Amino acid sequence: LRPLAVAIGTRSGTSATLDELTSQDRISQDTARCDAIMDTLARVVILALLASATSALNDPARVVPRPRRRLRTSALRMAHTNIYPYFTINDLEKAKPHLDQMVEATKSEEGCIYYGWTLDGDKLHCRETYSDGIAAAIHLDNAAPLVGAMLDSGAASLDAIGIMGTKEDLSACKEAGDGLGCEYWEVWGSFSKFTKVDSEQKATADFCTIQPVFTLADQAKAEPFMKQCVDATATEEGCVYYGWTLKGDKLYCREAYIDGDAVNAHLKNAVPIVGAMLDSGAASLDKIEIPTWSKFTHPAKH
């Protein structure tokens, strides 16, 4: 800008003549006039650039849309990890404070989907599901001292504990599970329809799970029936999640429904398919359980 300012300055009017000013005075005055003109031109250029940028931003044809960010959340994850512990109750009244303590402690775990205790005579089962293997591992670390205290009190004894999830999720929680003697069941096929809620809903009071266990005689022969069950159950509005898990020659179907009516609807849908699998000789049914919530509950959160 300085050469342009000098040129403008030499053409500007001045009250001094060359005869009246010394050479040094003339240089000082020209320099001051040049600096003032430079400041003015700089302001003009900046304002022009700002005006041009504003015009471009206000022109819809020239605005480039920004891509939207995709939210990454566990609620979108189709897989989940179940923990299946079974106990024998020796003294229910003595066990109750321990059970309540575990429910309250688990409520603070972000990765917990649901948690609660079920009773069948002297048998105690904890129904619990987590968003992934890492969340399951966190829970096992938190729960181990509380479960240990209940066992040490003599109120209950541990019969068995298993973890069901994808190969990746089982790997993530294996270290924590090994310390408790867990067995591991790998998911063969699964889907879920969890809905996130902020607090316990009335529907969770009727939440039902079905827990069938089979022995496989021929897995390759059984798989078409297993897939048929998954596909048929995916159409059921009352199903929360459904899928098969494997441990050696043992086959377990992990499945949950919003209420008893949804269970009945599923059984009408699935019994012919499962019956065909059994009739084919591909598998045999070991047992089937339908545990319900006891008073020791934690609402489904996701």
Side-chain angles (χ1 to χ4, degrees), residues 25-61:
D25 289 341
R26 186 170 65 254
I27 292 172
S28 298
Q29 196 171 40
D30 285 345
T31 300
R33 185 185 301 113
C34 178
D35 289 339
I37 294 171
M38 281 180 61
D39 289 341
T40 301
L41 286 173
R43 292 189 182 95
V44 170
V45 171
I46 291 171
L47 289 174
L49 290 173
L50 288 174
S52 176
T54 302
S55 176
L57 290 174
N58 289 333
D59 182 0

Side-chain angles (χ1 to χ4, degrees), residues 1-8 34:
L1 292 177
R2 182 174 292 276
L4 178 59
V6 171
I8 293 175
C34 178

Side-chain angles (χ1 to χ4, degrees), residues 206-264:
D206 300 322
F207 182 76
C208 295
T209 56
I210 305 178
Q211 299 174 181
V213 182
F214 303 82
T215 296
L216 285 171
D218 187 333
Q219 182 176 334
K221 194 174 181 179
E223 286 182 350
F225 297 104
M226 294 159 61
K227 184 179 186 305
Q228 191 177 356
C229 286
V230 172
D231 292 342
T233 307
T235 66
E236 299 172 12
E237 292 185 2
C239 180
V240 179
Y241 64 79
Y242 186 93
W244 299 95
T245 63
L246 294 163
K247 181 178 71 70
D249 66 344
K250 294 299 179 181
L251 175 67
Y252 181 99
C253 190
R254 56 176 193 173
E255 48 188 310
Y257 304 87
I258 59 174
D259 55 27
D261 289 338
V263 169
N264 287 331

Side-chain angles (χ1 to χ4, degrees), residues 98 129 282 294 302:
H98 297 282
T129 294
S294 73
H302 296 285

